[in-house]
Amino acid sequence: LLSDVILLFAGISASAAGGPGIAPEGGGPEVVSNRDALVRGGALDLLRQLSDARVSFDAKLRLVRVFEALEPVPLAAKRLEAIPEKGVPLLSSLASILVTQGASLELKSALSRVLCRTIARHAPLQLSLLASLSPQLEALEPGGAMPAGRLVVSLLERAAEGRPQPQQLWFAFHLVLAMLLGNASVQTALPTMRIAFAGEGPAELGLDLILASFSGCARKCLEA
């Protein structure tokens, strides 16, 4: 019910709230103001319930629609990056749903479509995801949780070692593509960025790890 109320204030009709498609980014001044107020009020924090097994699948899809309606708001990027007093940044929490086991493929696909569009839309999120690839951030988030970028690096390393997890790797590469899309600074920095300490992991630099993961996947396919 709460998600329905948020969607109505965000300018999404009840009939469209459960369906596919991209939420309208326009709307009158009142709708734009409502979306901004909802983000400021913490509506995006409801997305943390996506990892709660007690929440129904249909309810989770509606939460993704809430995300879709609010993500064009510039403040949404800051909310995704913000480090709460307890828990991890919302960006890491959502990335974890995509690149770990547990959530259904349908939920992951819906969330990936919106999250990757959000990252590609907001340059600060692209830079934040790039920075989180650093090995120095391995477990600096509250509770020892891995930042979003380190989750991606972990999957790429497994693939490079010939132990790919196809579904998780698929979504990891979509996060990487969203990080790179239309951002010359990220495109320049990633290839030579150090993503592992010397002597640790199959590769130390970003481009080397990506290429090594491709090779690892190819070797695994040939073995099959």
Side-chain angles (χ1 to χ4, degrees):
L1 179 60
L2 180 58
S3 63
D4 289 341
V5 173
I6 292 174
L7 287 168
L8 286 173
F9 274 103
I12 310 299
S13 67
S15 60
I22 298 176
E25 299 178 18
E30 183 178 355
V31 170
V32 174
S33 178
N34 284 346
R35 292 177 181 175
D36 187 71
L38 287 166
V39 173
R40 291 181 183 278
L44 289 177
D45 289 336
L46 290 172
L47 297 175
R48 296 188 185 278
Q49 304 304 314
L50 290 174
S51 58
D52 190 336
R54 297 170 296 180
V55 178
S56 72
F57 175 71
D58 288 342
K60 289 179 178 180
L61 287 182
R62 297 184 84 79
L63 288 177
V64 173
R65 286 289 290 163
V66 169
F67 185 19
E68 188 174 35
L70 299 180
E71 65 89 8
V73 177
L75 186 61
K78 294 183 179 180
R79 286 293 184 179
L80 288 170
E81 291 181 291
I83 301 177
E85 293 183 3
K86 296 182 180 180
V88 300
L90 187 54
L91 177 61
S92 293
S93 178
L94 298 178
S96 178
I97 294 173
L98 296 182
V99 300
T100 59
Q101 298 180 353
S104 69
L105 179 58
E106 185 176 354
L107 177 61
K108 285 186 176 185
S109 297
L111 177 60
S112 175
R113 177 172 58 84
V114 182
L115 179 59
C116 290
R117 189 174 68 242
T118 305
I119 293 171
R121 184 196 303 275
H122 300 286
L125 284 180
Q126 293 176 307
L127 294 172
S128 178
L129 186 54
L130 176 71
S132 69
L133 298 172
S134 171
Q136 296 175 328
L137 301 181
E138 185 71 40
L140 293 184
E141 293 189 352
M146 292 179 68
R150 294 308 297 172
L151 290 169
V152 172
V153 169
S154 177
L155 280 170
L156 295 180
E157 287 179 338
R158 287 181 61 88
E161 294 166 351
R163 300 180 293 127
Q165 296 174 285
Q167 185 182 113
Q168 287 85 347
L169 192 61
W170 170 269
F171 290 109
F173 272 122
H174 274 75
L175 289 172
V176 172
L177 288 172
M179 178 181 69
L180 291 167
L181 187 63
N183 193 316
S185 297
V186 175
Q187 293 168 12
T188 301
L190 179 60
T192 57
M193 180 175 179
R194 188 167 295 280
I195 44 76
F197 295 116
E200 297 182 5
E204 296 179 19
L205 303 181
L207 180 59
D208 292 341
L209 179 59
I210 291 174
L211 295 177
S213 68
F214 289 156
S215 297
C217 289
R219 290 195 305 272
K220 192 66 175 180
C221 290
L222 291 175
E223 291 174 3

